[in-house]
Amino acid sequence: MKIEEVQSTTKKQRIATHTHIKGLGLEATGKAIPLAAGFVGQAAAREAGGLVVDMIRQKKMAGRALLLAGPPGTGKTALALGISQELGSKVPFCPMVGSEVYSSEVKKTEVLMENFRRAIGLRIKENKEVYEGEVRTGNQPLCLSVKVTELSPEETESVTGGYGKAISHVIIGLKTVKGTKQLKLDPTIYDALIKEKVAVGDVIYVEANSGAVKRVGRSDAFATEFDLEAEEYVPLPKGEVHKKKEIVQDVTLHDLDAANARPQGGQDILSLMGQMMKPRKTEITDKLRQEINKVVNRYIDEGVAELVPGVLFIDEVHMLDMECFSYLNRALESSLSPIVIFATNRGICNVRGTDMTSPHGIPVDLLDRLVIIRTETYGPAEMIQILAIRAQVEELSIDEESLAYLGEIGQEASLRHAVQLLTPGSVVAKMNGRESVCKADLEEVSSLYLNAKSSAKLLQEQQDRYIS
């Protein structure tokens, strides 16, 4: 009998540069834990970041800006991602790089405004009449909650002739703690069910007025079954199948801009949700944004919606020019403004496109508006701890001697270069028939790849061989 192992189709998370960062690693008092949440060292910067998180949660930092300044490889991007992790998934976090503004299709200020509005969330609450439940087939035992109990399209002969058949209506069964209902739905709703990939055992709701279908997740009654795909399991809803339910939707102002730029269907904000899938490269006018701001402010005044200022993270901010900095000065004063976090590794240098020198390449008038957090260069012990964390994240086996050797390379060259040698070292170790990385493997890899400093030294020594 032949038995073969089947590889799981569950997607593995790609190991990125900052995959190991899970938060800021702070105690309840706000004091930094030396080694926590993927962070090593940078205690003062993390504690300052923790205060920023508290101010954002208390909605006391809207329209303010933060600058993360420090040498390359000192954890500025990691700090911004740590702040994002602490805020949670409900607070918009929009990362961008300064060079993104230079496009041949869209104005620089338009790119900045678009990202500003991506970083401002709107939580809309509406009471709607819905049918909610878990989809389920008729011959399965009844479950004590709402779920789709039956899903079957009824076909008729096509009215247009030919051999095809058209769906006349859809029969769907829903069950809750208090009862079961069988619904006969319009064929257009069947398309929505297919689009949402609704299957038996899913918890869904159908809006009574518009017929909009929303798949909430898979019923937790199915949580024990073997499933190759990673699923989000949700508890079975309570109450009747037909009920009034508070629907909460999180959108960004940019979502509303994009949806209104190609209006279809209803005029309320929630009717725009289905129109956000088509890409649009043309610019959105200021007049349209002003109209949307009026509607948003009215919804906030009526208590229908709540503004959620998020975070706009602009890395390599020294790449922006005077036009962008002037725009940022004005945008930060707007009533609809997110929290902006800048990051740069530059010292005193020219503001891009001018002969004017300024700290970090940022004009002094904008610099006055910023709270500056400084990141420090890592010491040898901290580098070794970071390398050990990266090896664990990448599931590499490495001994202490090899980590100490990489720490020396990090001190001589840079931490980034030392981290980059981990994976090639593990490949060389496997080629030599070993599972664990040893110092000899890293020495071999180090001889193959130059770091930035040794490459620059080589260029100086052999300058006559290169075209300058």
Side-chain angles (χ1 to χ4, degrees):
M1 182 183 291
K2 188 178 179 182
I3 300 175
E4 294 182 4
E5 288 189 10
V6 179
Q7 292 289 332
S8 170
T9 59
T10 305
K11 294 179 182 177
K12 288 188 177 180
Q13 184 185 17
R14 181 178 175 271
I15 304 299
T17 310
H18 299 101
T19 300
H20 60 288
I21 301 297
K22 305 299 180 188
L24 290 174
L26 302 174
E27 295 176 358
T29 57
K31 188 175 176 61
I33 304 168
L35 176 59
F39 259 108
V40 176
Q42 305 293 354
R46 285 155 59 198
E47 288 172 11
L51 282 175
V52 170
V53 170
D54 288 339
M55 285 191 288
I56 293 171
R57 284 175 178 162
Q58 295 171 27
K59 299 181 181 178
K60 293 181 179 178
M61 195 160 168
R64 300 189 188 185
L66 180 71
L67 174 64
L68 306 177
T74 54
K76 296 181 293 297
T77 305
L79 194 63
L81 291 173
I83 290 172
S84 168
Q85 295 274 10
E86 293 286 345
L87 289 170
S89 59
K90 295 295 183 183
V91 177
F93 183 83
C94 178
M96 66 171 288
V97 182
S99 56
E100 285 181 31
V101 302
Y102 302 105
S103 165
S104 59
E105 295 180 358
V106 184
K107 290 184 294 187
K108 290 178 280 190
T109 53
E110 174 65 23
V111 175
L112 285 172
M113 173 54 83
E114 183 177 309
N115 282 288
F116 254 72
R117 292 176 77 84
R118 283 183 199 276
I120 303 171
L122 193 68
R123 187 162 296 140
I124 306 160
K125 300 176 184 177
E126 281 193 348
N127 287 314
K128 292 206 169 186
E129 190 180 342
V130 299
Y131 291 92
E132 184 179 35
E134 175 192 321
V135 189
R136 205 171 158 90
T137 56
N139 58 0
Q140 287 180 319
L142 294 179
C143 182
L144 296 177
S145 193
V146 183
K147 52 187 177 182
V148 185
T149 58
E150 184 182 348
L151 177 57
S152 55
E154 297 288 334
E155 294 180 335
T156 59
E157 293 296 330
S158 175
V159 293
T160 57
Y163 297 100
K165 288 190 175 182
I167 293 170
S168 61
H169 57 271
V170 181
I171 303 295
I172 189 166
L174 301 177
K175 180 166 179 66
T176 64
V177 174
K178 292 192 176 180
T180 307
K181 276 190 185 292
Q182 200 173 46
L183 308 178
K184 185 176 179 181
L185 305 177
D186 191 82
T188 55
I189 297 178
Y190 181 66
D191 294 333
L193 292 168
I194 296 298
K195 189 176 179 181
E196 285 283 316
K197 298 180 180 177
V198 173
V200 170
D202 290 345
V203 175
I204 68 167
Y205 67 78
V206 182
E207 290 184 16
N209 295 330
S210 64
V213 176
K214 173 68 177 176
R215 181 183 182 274
V216 181
R218 190 126 180 101
S219 167
D220 58 6
F222 290 80
T224 56
E225 70 179 12
F226 180 73
D227 196 346
L228 289 176
E229 294 295 331
E231 268 288 359
E232 182 183 355
Y233 292 99
V234 295
L236 296 166
K238 298 177 181 178
E240 298 284 356
V241 173
H242 187 196
K243 66 180 106 175
K244 284 201 171 182
K245 180 182 175 72
E246 185 181 65
I247 307 296
V248 179
Q249 301 235 29
D250 289 300
V251 296
T252 67
L253 294 188
H254 175 71
D255 292 335
L256 300 179
D257 293 343
N260 276 275
R262 45 177 189 279
Q264 298 171 6
Q267 297 301 313
D268 65 314
I269 290 184
L270 289 180
S271 70
L272 305 172
M273 295 301 297
Q275 306 167 27
M276 297 176 187
M277 302 306 292
K278 296 179 183 177
R280 180 180 173 86
K281 291 185 179 179
T282 55
E283 293 183 16
I284 297 162
T285 63
D286 284 338
K287 184 179 178 182
L288 176 63
R289 287 199 175 108
Q290 287 169 10
E291 290 299 320
I292 289 170
N293 289 350
K294 287 179 185 176
V295 175
V296 167
N297 286 327
R298 191 178 78 242
Y299 270 68
I300 292 169
D301 293 339
E302 292 172 358
V304 174
E306 175 190 2
L307 201 67
V308 184
V311 175
L312 172 60
F313 175 55
I314 305 179
D315 205 358
E316 308 292 342
V317 68
H318 53 266
M319 292 297 294
L320 301 180
D321 60 13
M322 285 300 291
E323 183 183 353
C324 297
F325 287 128
S326 299
Y327 178 80
L328 287 171
N329 260 324
R330 184 178 68 84
L332 285 171
E333 294 176 348
S334 169
S335 58
L336 294 176
S337 175
I339 297 90
V340 184
I341 300 179
F342 301 117
T344 182
N345 54 23
R346 300 300 165 95
I348 296 174
C349 61
N350 284 356
V351 177
R352 184 183 170 102
T354 70
D355 296 329
M356 181 176 66
T357 59
S358 183
H360 311 297
I362 301 172
V364 178
D365 56 339
L366 179 59
L367 209 56
D368 283 341
R369 295 175 180 268
L370 308 181
V371 179
I372 302 173
I373 296 178
R374 186 183 173 196
T375 54
E376 303 285 349
T377 305
Y378 291 108
E382 290 174 334
M383 282 192 178
I384 291 171
Q385 284 181 312
I386 292 168
L387 289 162
I389 291 170
R390 288 300 305 177
Q392 185 180 1
V393 168
E394 295 182 27
E395 298 179 350
L396 303 178
S397 177
I398 186 168
D399 56 35
E400 290 186 7
E401 184 187 14
S402 302
L403 284 173
Y405 177 68
L406 279 176
E408 291 173 11
I409 292 174
Q411 284 290 298
E412 293 171 8
S414 69
L415 175 60
R416 287 172 178 168
H417 181 70
V419 169
Q420 286 170 353
L421 296 180
L422 276 171
T423 305
S426 70
V427 173
V428 170
K430 286 177 182 176
M431 289 170 63
N432 293 331
R434 291 189 304 276
E435 288 296 322
S436 182
V437 180
C438 68
K439 185 178 177 182
D441 301 322
L442 296 172
E443 287 175 338
E444 182 180 343
V445 169
S446 183
S447 67
L448 294 173
Y449 300 110
L450 296 176
N451 61 65
K453 290 180 181 177
S454 58
S455 179
K457 184 180 178 182
L458 192 67
L459 284 174
Q460 284 183 337
E461 292 171 355
Q462 302 179 0
Q463 194 170 1
D464 56 327
R465 298 185 186 181
Y466 292 88
I467 298 172
S468 59

